[in-house]
Coordinates of all heavy atoms in Angstrom, one line a residue:
Q71 N 105.6 123.3 35.8 CA 105.5 123.6 37.2 C 104.8 124.9 37.5 O 104.1 125.0 38.4 CB 106.9 123.5 37.8 CG 107.5 122.1 37.9 CD 109.0 122.2 38.3 OE1 109.6 123.2 38.4 NE2 109.5 121.0 38.5
I72 N 105.2 125.9 36.7 CA 104.6 127.2 36.8 C 103.1 127.2 36.6 O 102.3 127.7 37.4 CB 105.3 128.3 35.9 CG1 106.7 128.6 36.4 CG2 104.4 129.6 35.8 CD1 107.5 129.4 35.3
H73 N 102.7 126.5 35.5 CA 101.3 126.3 35.2 C 100.5 125.6 36.4 O 99.4 126.1 36.8 CB 101.1 125.5 33.9 CG 99.7 125.5 33.4 ND1 98.9 124.4 33.5 CD2 99.0 126.5 32.8 CE1 97.7 124.7 33.0 NE2 97.8 126.0 32.5
H74 N 101.1 124.6 36.9 CA 100.5 123.9 38.1 C 100.4 124.8 39.3 O 99.3 124.7 40.0 CB 101.2 122.6 38.4 CG 101.0 121.5 37.4 ND1 101.0 120.2 37.6 CD2 100.8 121.6 36.0 CE1 100.8 119.5 36.5 NE2 100.7 120.3 35.6
K75 N 101.4 125.5 39.6 CA 101.4 126.5 40.7 C 100.3 127.6 40.5 O 99.7 127.9 41.4 CB 102.8 127.0 41.0 CG 103.7 125.9 41.6 CD 105.1 126.4 41.9 CE 105.8 125.2 42.4 NZ 107.2 125.5 42.6
M76 N 100.3 128.1 39.3 CA 99.2 129.1 39.1 C 97.8 128.5 39.2 O 96.9 129.2 39.7 CB 99.4 129.7 37.6 CG 100.5 130.6 37.5 SD 100.6 131.6 36.0 CE 101.0 130.2 34.9
T77 N 97.6 127.3 38.7 CA 96.3 126.7 38.9 C 95.9 126.5 40.3 O 94.8 126.8 40.7 CB 96.3 125.3 38.2 OG1 96.8 125.4 36.8 CG2 95.0 124.5 38.3
T78 N 96.9 126.1 41.2 CA 96.6 125.9 42.6 C 96.3 127.4 43.2 O 95.4 127.5 44.0 CB 97.8 125.3 43.3 OG1 98.1 124.1 42.6 CG2 97.6 125.1 44.8
F79 N 97.1 128.3 42.8 CA 96.9 129.7 43.3 C 95.5 130.2 43.0 O 94.8 130.7 43.8 CB 98.0 130.6 42.8 CG 97.8 132.0 43.2 CD1 98.2 132.5 44.4 CD2 97.2 132.9 42.3 CE1 98.0 133.8 44.8 CE2 97.0 134.3 42.7 CZ 97.4 134.7 44.0
L80 N 95.2 130.0 41.7 CA 93.8 130.5 41.3 C 92.7 129.7 42.0 O 91.7 130.3 42.4 CB 93.7 130.3 39.8 CG 94.6 131.3 39.0 CD1 94.5 130.9 37.5 CD2 94.0 132.8 39.2
A81 N 92.9 128.5 42.2 CA 91.8 127.6 42.8 C 91.6 128.0 44.3 O 90.5 128.0 44.8 CB 92.2 126.2 42.7
V82 N 92.7 128.4 44.9 CA 92.6 128.8 46.3 C 92.2 130.2 46.5 O 91.3 130.5 47.3 CB 94.0 128.5 47.0 CG1 93.9 129.1 48.4 CG2 94.2 127.0 47.1
T83 N 92.8 131.1 45.8 CA 92.6 132.6 46.0 C 91.3 133.2 45.4 O 90.8 134.2 45.9 CB 93.9 133.4 45.6 OG1 94.1 133.1 44.3 CG2 95.1 132.9 46.4
T84 N 91.0 132.7 44.2 CA 89.8 133.3 43.6 C 88.5 133.3 44.4 O 87.8 134.3 44.6 CB 89.5 132.6 42.3 OG1 90.7 132.7 41.4 CG2 88.4 133.2 41.5
P85 N 88.2 132.1 45.0 CA 87.0 132.1 45.9 C 87.2 133.1 47.1 O 86.2 133.7 47.5 CB 86.9 130.6 46.4 CG 87.6 129.8 45.4 CD 88.7 130.7 44.9
I86 N 88.4 133.1 47.7 CA 88.6 134.1 48.8 C 88.4 135.5 48.4 O 87.7 136.2 49.1 CB 90.1 133.8 49.3 CG1 90.2 132.4 50.0 CG2 90.5 135.0 50.3 CD1 91.7 132.1 50.3
Y87 N 88.9 135.9 47.2 CA 88.7 137.2 46.7 C 87.2 137.5 46.5 O 86.7 138.6 46.9 CB 89.5 137.4 45.4 CG 89.3 138.7 44.7 CD1 89.8 139.8 45.2 CD2 88.5 138.8 43.5 CE1 89.7 141.1 44.6 CE2 88.4 140.0 42.9 CZ 89.0 141.1 43.4 OH 88.8 142.3 42.8
F88 N 86.5 136.6 45.9 CA 85.0 136.9 45.7 C 84.2 136.8 46.9 O 83.1 137.4 47.0 CB 84.5 135.9 44.5 CG 85.0 136.3 43.2 CD1 85.8 135.5 42.5 CD2 84.6 137.6 42.6 CE1 86.3 135.9 41.2 CE2 85.1 137.9 41.4 CZ 85.9 137.1 40.7
L89 N 84.6 136.0 47.9 CA 83.8 136.0 49.2 C 84.2 137.1 50.2 O 83.5 137.2 51.2 CB 84.0 134.6 49.8 CG 83.4 133.5 49.0 CD1 83.7 132.2 49.6 CD2 81.9 133.6 48.8
A90 N 85.3 137.8 49.9 CA 85.8 138.9 50.8 C 84.7 140.0 50.8 O 84.0 140.2 49.8 CB 87.1 139.3 50.4
P91 N 84.7 140.7 51.9 CA 83.7 141.9 52.0 C 84.1 142.9 50.9 O 85.2 143.1 50.4 CB 83.9 142.4 53.3 CG 84.7 141.5 54.1 CD 85.4 140.6 53.1
D92 N 83.0 143.7 50.5 CA 83.2 144.7 49.4 C 84.2 145.8 49.8 O 84.8 146.4 49.0 CB 81.9 145.3 49.0 CG 81.0 144.4 48.2 OD1 81.6 143.3 47.6 OD2 79.8 144.5 48.2
D93 N 84.3 146.1 51.1 CA 85.2 147.1 51.6 C 86.7 146.7 51.1 O 87.5 147.6 50.8 CB 85.1 147.3 53.0 CG 83.8 147.8 53.4 OD1 83.1 148.3 52.6 OD2 83.5 147.6 54.7
F94 N 86.9 145.4 51.2 CA 88.3 144.9 50.9 C 88.5 145.1 49.4 O 89.6 145.5 49.0 CB 88.4 143.5 51.3 CG 89.7 142.8 50.9 CD1 90.9 143.1 51.5 CD2 89.7 142.0 49.7 CE1 92.1 142.5 51.1 CE2 90.9 141.4 49.3 CZ 92.1 141.6 50.0
S95 N 87.6 144.8 48.6 CA 87.8 144.8 47.1 C 87.8 146.2 46.5 O 88.2 146.4 45.4 CB 86.8 143.9 46.4 OG 85.5 144.3 46.6
D96 N 87.2 147.2 47.3 CA 87.2 148.5 46.7 C 88.5 149.3 47.0 O 88.8 150.2 46.3 CB 86.0 149.3 47.4 CG 84.7 148.8 46.8 OD1 84.6 148.2 45.7 OD2 83.6 149.0 47.5
G97 N 89.3 148.9 48.0 CA 90.4 149.7 48.4 C 91.7 149.3 47.6 O 91.6 148.5 46.6
M98 N 92.8 149.8 48.1 CA 94.1 149.6 47.5 C 94.4 148.1 47.5 O 95.0 147.5 46.6 CB 95.2 150.4 48.1 CG 96.4 150.6 47.3 SD 96.0 151.3 45.8 CE 97.5 151.5 45.1
M99 N 94.1 147.4 48.6 CA 94.5 146.0 48.7 C 93.7 145.2 47.6 O 94.2 144.2 47.1 CB 94.1 145.4 50.1 CG 95.1 145.8 51.2 SD 96.7 145.0 50.8 CE 96.4 143.3 51.3
G100 N 92.5 145.6 47.4 CA 91.6 144.9 46.4 C 92.2 145.1 45.0 O 92.2 144.2 44.2
K101 N 92.7 146.3 44.7 CA 93.3 146.5 43.4 C 94.6 145.8 43.2 O 94.9 145.2 42.2 CB 93.5 148.0 43.2 CG 92.2 148.8 43.1 CD 92.5 150.2 42.8 CE 91.2 151.0 42.8 NZ 90.9 151.8 41.6
A102 N 95.4 145.7 44.3 CA 96.6 145.0 44.2 C 96.4 143.5 44.1 O 97.0 142.8 43.2 CB 97.5 145.2 45.5
F103 N 95.4 143.0 44.9 CA 95.1 141.5 44.7 C 94.5 141.2 43.4 O 94.8 140.2 42.8 CB 94.2 141.1 45.9 CG 94.0 139.6 46.0 CD1 95.0 138.9 46.6 CD2 92.9 139.0 45.5 CE1 94.9 137.5 46.7 CE2 92.8 137.6 45.5 CZ 93.7 136.9 46.1
G104 N 93.6 142.2 42.9 CA 93.0 142.0 41.6 C 94.1 142.0 40.5 O 94.0 141.2 39.5
S105 N 95.1 142.8 40.7 CA 96.2 142.8 39.7 C 97.0 141.5 39.7 O 97.3 140.9 38.6 CB 97.2 144.0 40.0 OG 96.5 145.2 39.9
V106 N 97.3 141.0 40.9 CA 98.0 139.7 41.0 C 97.1 138.6 40.3 O 97.5 137.7 39.6 CB 98.3 139.3 42.4 CG1 98.8 137.9 42.5 CG2 99.3 140.3 42.9
L107 N 95.8 138.6 40.6 CA 94.8 137.6 40.0 C 94.8 137.8 38.5 O 94.9 136.8 37.8 CB 93.4 137.9 40.5 CG 92.4 136.8 40.6 CD1 92.9 135.6 41.3 CD2 91.1 137.3 41.1
V108 N 94.9 139.0 38.0 CA 94.8 139.2 36.5 C 96.1 138.7 35.9 O 96.0 137.9 34.8 CB 94.7 140.8 36.2 CG1 95.1 141.1 34.8 CG2 93.4 141.2 36.5
L109 N 97.3 138.9 36.5 CA 98.6 138.3 36.0 C 98.5 136.8 36.0 O 98.9 136.2 34.9 CB 99.7 138.8 36.8 CG 100.2 140.2 36.7 CD1 101.2 140.6 37.7 CD2 100.8 140.2 35.3
N110 N 97.9 136.2 36.9 CA 97.8 134.7 37.0 C 96.9 134.2 36.0 O 97.1 133.2 35.3 CB 97.5 134.3 38.4 CG 98.6 134.1 39.3 OD1 99.3 133.1 39.1 ND2 98.9 135.0 40.1
I111 N 95.7 134.9 35.8 CA 94.7 134.4 34.9 C 95.2 134.5 33.5 O 95.1 133.6 32.7 CB 93.4 135.2 35.0 CG1 92.7 134.9 36.3 CG2 92.5 135.0 33.9 CD1 91.5 135.8 36.7
S112 N 95.9 135.6 33.1 CA 96.3 135.8 31.8 C 97.5 134.8 31.4 O 97.6 134.2 30.4 CB 96.7 137.2 31.5 OG 97.7 137.7 32.4
A113 N 98.4 134.7 32.4 CA 99.5 133.7 32.1 C 99.0 132.3 32.1 O 99.5 131.5 31.3 CB 100.6 133.9 33.3
H114 N 98.0 131.9 33.0 CA 97.5 130.6 33.0 C 96.7 130.4 31.6 O 97.0 129.2 31.1 CB 96.5 130.5 34.1 CG 95.7 129.2 34.2 ND1 96.3 128.1 34.8 CD2 94.5 128.9 33.8 CE1 95.4 127.1 34.7 NE2 94.3 127.5 34.1
S115 N 96.0 131.3 31.1 CA 95.4 131.1 29.8 C 96.4 131.0 28.7 O 96.3 130.2 27.8 CB 94.4 132.2 29.6 OG 95.0 133.4 29.3
W116 N 97.5 131.8 28.8 CA 98.5 131.7 27.7 C 99.2 130.3 27.7 O 99.3 129.7 26.6 CB 99.5 132.8 27.9 CG 100.8 132.7 27.0 CD1 100.8 132.7 25.7 CD2 102.1 132.6 27.5 NE1 102.1 132.6 25.3 CE2 102.9 132.5 26.3 CE3 102.7 132.6 28.7 CZ2 104.3 132.5 26.4 CZ3 104.1 132.5 28.8 CH2 104.9 132.4 27.6
I117 N 99.6 129.9 28.8 CA 100.3 128.5 28.9 C 99.3 127.4 28.5 O 99.6 126.5 27.7 CB 100.9 128.3 30.3 CG1 102.1 129.3 30.6 CG2 101.4 126.8 30.5 CD1 102.6 129.3 32.0
G118 N 98.1 127.6 29.0 CA 97.1 126.5 28.6 C 96.8 126.5 27.2 O 96.6 125.4 26.5
L119 N 96.6 127.7 26.5 CA 96.5 127.7 25.1 C 97.7 127.1 24.3 O 97.5 126.5 23.3 CB 96.2 129.1 24.6 CG 94.8 129.6 24.9 CD1 94.7 131.1 24.6 CD2 93.7 128.8 24.2
N120 N 98.9 127.3 24.9 CA 100.0 126.7 24.3 C 100.0 125.2 24.3 O 100.4 124.5 23.4 CB 101.4 127.1 24.9 CG 101.8 128.4 24.2 OD1 102.3 128.3 23.1 ND2 101.8 129.5 24.9
Y121 N 99.5 124.6 25.4 CA 99.3 123.2 25.6 C 98.3 122.7 24.5 O 98.5 121.6 23.9 CB 98.8 122.8 26.9 CG 99.9 122.7 28.0 CD1 99.9 123.4 29.1 CD2 101.0 121.7 27.8 CE1 101.0 123.4 30.0 CE2 102.0 121.6 28.7 CZ 101.9 122.4 29.8 OH 102.9 122.3 30.8
V122 N 97.2 123.4 24.4 CA 96.2 123.0 23.4 C 96.8 123.1 22.0 O 96.6 122.1 21.2 CB 95.0 124.0 23.5 CG1 94.1 123.7 22.3 CG2 94.3 123.7 24.8
A123 N 97.5 124.1 21.7 CA 98.2 124.2 20.3 C 99.2 123.1 20.1 O 99.2 122.5 19.0 CB 98.9 125.6 20.2
T124 N 100.0 122.8 21.1 CA 100.9 121.6 21.0 C 100.3 120.4 20.7 O 100.7 119.6 19.9 CB 101.8 121.6 22.3 OG1 102.4 122.8 22.5 CG2 102.8 120.5 22.2
D125 N 99.1 120.2 21.3 CA 98.4 118.9 21.1 C 97.6 118.8 19.8 O 97.6 117.7 19.2 CB 97.3 118.7 22.2 CG 98.0 118.3 23.5 OD1 99.2 117.9 23.5 OD2 97.4 118.4 24.6
Y126 N 97.0 119.9 19.3 CA 96.1 119.8 18.2 C 96.6 120.4 16.9 O 96.2 120.0 15.8 CB 94.7 120.4 18.6 CG 94.1 119.6 19.7 CD1 94.0 120.0 21.0 CD2 93.6 118.3 19.4 CE1 93.5 119.3 22.0 CE2 93.0 117.5 20.4 CZ 93.0 118.0 21.7 OH 92.4 117.3 22.7
V127 N 97.4 121.5 17.0 CA 97.8 122.2 15.7 C 98.6 121.2 14.8 O 98.4 121.2 13.6 CB 98.4 123.5 16.0 CG1 99.1 124.1 14.8 CG2 97.4 124.5 16.6
P128 N 99.6 120.5 15.3 CA 100.4 119.6 14.5 C 99.6 118.6 13.6 O 100.0 118.2 12.6 CB 101.4 119.0 15.3 CG 101.5 119.9 16.5 CD 100.1 120.5 16.7
K129 N 98.4 118.2 14.2 CA 97.5 117.3 13.4 C 97.0 117.9 12.2 O 96.7 117.2 11.2 CB 96.4 116.8 14.4 CG 96.9 116.0 15.6 CD 95.7 115.6 16.4 CE 96.3 114.8 17.7 NZ 95.3 114.5 18.6
I130 N 96.9 119.2 12.2 CA 96.4 119.9 11.0 C 97.7 120.2 10.1 O 97.7 119.8 8.9 CB 95.7 121.2 11.3 CG1 94.4 120.8 12.2 CG2 95.3 122.0 10.1 CD1 93.7 122.0 12.8
S131 N 98.6 121.0 10.6 CA 99.8 121.3 9.9 C 100.9 121.8 10.9 O 100.6 122.7 11.7 CB 99.5 122.4 8.9 OG 100.7 122.9 8.3
K132 N 102.0 121.2 10.8 CA 103.1 121.6 11.7 C 103.5 123.1 11.4 O 104.1 123.7 12.3 CB 104.3 120.7 11.6 CG 104.0 119.3 12.1 CD 105.2 118.4 12.1 CE 104.8 117.0 12.7 NZ 105.9 116.1 12.7
S133 N 103.4 123.6 10.2 CA 103.8 124.9 9.9 C 102.9 126.0 10.5 O 103.2 127.2 10.6 CB 103.8 125.1 8.4 OG 102.5 125.0 7.8
L134 N 101.7 125.5 11.1 CA 100.9 126.4 11.8 C 101.2 126.6 13.2 O 100.5 127.4 13.9 CB 99.4 126.0 11.7 CG 98.7 126.1 10.2 CD1 97.4 125.5 10.3 CD2 98.8 127.5 9.7
M135 N 102.2 126.0 13.8 CA 102.5 126.1 15.2 C 103.0 127.5 15.5 O 102.6 128.0 16.6 CB 103.6 125.1 15.5 CG 103.1 123.7 15.9 SD 101.9 123.7 17.2 CE 102.8 124.3 18.6
G136 N 103.8 128.1 14.7 CA 104.3 129.5 15.0 C 103.1 130.5 15.1 O 103.0 131.2 16.1
P137 N 102.2 130.5 14.0 CA 101.1 131.4 14.1 C 100.1 131.1 15.3 O 99.6 132.0 15.9 CB 100.4 131.2 12.8 CG 101.4 130.7 11.9 CD 102.4 129.9 12.7
A138 N 99.9 129.8 15.7 CA 99.1 129.5 16.8 C 99.7 130.0 18.1 O 99.0 130.5 18.9 CB 99.0 127.9 16.8
R139 N 101.0 129.9 18.2 CA 101.7 130.4 19.4 C 101.6 132.0 19.5 O 101.4 132.6 20.5 CB 103.2 130.0 19.5 CG 103.3 128.5 19.7 CD 104.6 128.1 20.2 NE 104.9 126.7 20.2 CZ 104.5 125.9 21.3 NH1 103.9 126.5 22.3 NH2 104.7 124.7 21.3
V140 N 101.7 132.6 18.3 CA 101.6 134.0 18.3 C 100.1 134.5 18.7 O 99.9 135.4 19.5 CB 101.9 134.6 16.9 CG1 101.5 136.1 16.8 CG2 103.4 134.5 16.6
A141 N 99.1 133.7 18.1 CA 97.8 133.9 18.5 C 97.5 133.8 20.0 O 96.8 134.5 20.7 CB 96.8 133.1 17.7
S142 N 98.1 132.7 20.6 CA 97.9 132.4 22.0 C 98.5 133.5 22.8 O 98.0 133.9 23.9 CB 98.3 131.0 22.4 OG 99.6 131.0 22.9
A143 N 99.7 134.0 22.4 CA 100.3 135.1 23.2 C 99.5 136.4 23.0 O 99.3 137.1 24.0 CB 101.7 135.3 22.6
G144 N 98.9 136.6 21.9 CA 98.0 137.8 21.6 C 96.8 137.7 22.5 O 96.5 138.7 23.1
I145 N 96.2 136.6 22.6 CA 95.1 136.4 23.5 C 95.4 136.6 24.9 O 94.7 137.3 25.7 CB 94.4 135.0 23.3 CG1 93.8 134.9 21.9 CG2 93.4 134.6 24.4 CD1 93.3 133.5 21.5
G146 N 96.7 136.1 25.3 CA 97.1 136.4 26.7 C 97.3 137.8 27.0 O 97.0 138.3 28.1
I147 N 97.9 138.5 26.0 CA 98.2 140.0 26.2 C 96.8 140.8 26.3 O 96.7 141.6 27.2 CB 99.1 140.5 25.1 CG1 100.5 140.0 25.3 CG2 99.1 142.1 25.1 CD1 101.4 140.3 24.1
I148 N 95.9 140.4 25.4 CA 94.6 141.1 25.5 C 93.9 140.8 26.7 O 93.3 141.7 27.4 CB 93.8 140.7 24.2 CG1 94.4 141.3 23.0 CG2 92.3 141.1 24.4 CD1 93.7 140.7 21.7
T149 N 94.0 139.6 27.2 CA 93.4 139.2 28.5 C 94.0 140.1 29.7 O 93.3 140.6 30.6 CB 93.5 137.7 28.8 OG1 93.0 137.0 27.7 CG2 92.9 137.4 30.1
L150 N 95.3 140.1 29.6 CA 96.1 140.9 30.7 C 95.7 142.4 30.6 O 95.3 143.0 31.7 CB 97.6 140.8 30.4 CG 98.5 141.6 31.4 CD1 98.4 141.1 32.7 CD2 99.9 141.6 30.8
L151 N 95.6 143.0 29.5 CA 95.3 144.4 29.3 C 93.8 144.7 29.7 O 93.5 145.6 30.5 CB 95.5 144.9 27.9 CG 97.0 144.9 27.5 CD1 97.2 145.4 26.0 CD2 97.8 145.8 28.4
G152 N 92.9 143.9 29.2 CA 91.5 144.0 29.6 C 91.2 143.8 31.0 O 90.5 144.7 31.7
L153 N 91.5 142.7 31.5 CA 91.3 142.5 33.0 C 92.1 143.4 33.8 O 91.6 143.8 34.9 CB 91.6 141.0 33.3 CG 90.6 140.0 32.8 CD1 91.1 138.6 33.2 CD2 89.2 140.2 33.3
G154 N 93.3 143.8 33.4 CA 94.1 144.8 34.2 C 93.4 146.2 34.3 O 93.4 146.8 35.3
K155 N 92.8 146.6 33.2 CA 92.1 147.9 33.2 C 90.9 147.8 34.1 O 90.6 148.6 35.0 CB 91.6 148.2 31.8 CG 90.8 149.5 31.8 CD 90.4 149.9 30.4 CE 89.7 151.2 30.4 NZ 89.1 151.6 29.2
I156 N 90.2 146.6 34.1 CA 89.0 146.4 35.0 C 89.5 146.4 36.5 O 88.8 147.0 37.3 CB 88.2 145.1 34.7 CG1 87.6 145.3 33.3 CG2 87.3 144.7 35.7 CD1 87.0 144.0 32.8
A157 N 90.6 145.7 36.8 CA 91.1 145.5 38.1 C 91.5 146.9 38.7 O 91.3 147.2 39.8 CB 92.2 144.6 38.3
L158 N 92.2 147.7 37.9 CA 92.7 149.0 38.4 C 91.8 150.2 38.3 O 91.8 151.1 39.1 CB 94.0 149.3 37.7 CG 95.1 148.3 37.9 CD1 96.3 148.6 37.0 CD2 95.6 148.2 39.3
V159 N 91.0 150.3 37.2 CA 90.2 151.4 37.0 C 88.7 151.2 37.2 O 88.0 152.1 37.7 CB 90.3 151.9 35.5 CG1 89.5 153.1 35.2 CG2 91.8 152.2 35.2
G160 N 88.2 150.0 37.0 CA 86.8 149.6 37.2 C 86.3 149.8 38.6 O 87.0 149.6 39.5
E161 N 85.0 150.2 38.7 CA 84.4 150.4 40.0 C 84.2 149.1 40.8 O 83.6 148.2 40.3 CB 83.0 151.1 39.8 CG 82.4 151.5 41.2 CD 81.1 152.2 41.0 OE1 81.0 152.9 39.9 OE2 80.3 152.1 41.8

Side-chain angles (χ1 to χ4, degrees):
Q71 289 173 351
I72 290 171
H73 190 257
H74 287 213
K75 287 180 181 171
M76 281 189 295
T77 302
T78 304
F79 176 80
L80 289 171
V82 171
T83 58
T84 303
I86 293 170
Y87 176 71
F88 285 114
L89 294 174
D92 288 339
D93 297 340
F94 174 77
S95 61
D96 288 340
M98 196 61 178
M99 282 295 286
K101 289 184 186 232
F103 191 78
S105 298
V106 170
L107 201 63
V108 165
L109 282 169
N110 273 283
I111 290 170
S112 58
H114 178 80
S115 69
W116 171 57
I117 293 172
L119 285 173
N120 270 293
Y121 278 119
V122 171
T124 300
D125 287 344
Y126 294 106
V127 171
K129 292 178 182 179
I130 297 169
S131 172
K132 288 183 182 182
S133 64
L134 292 176
M135 274 306 292
R139 290 196 188 278
V140 169
S142 95
I145 291 169
I147 289 170
I148 291 170
T149 303
L150 177 69
L151 294 175
L153 286 178
K155 182 179 179 185
I156 291 171
L158 296 174
V159 181
E161 188 177 328

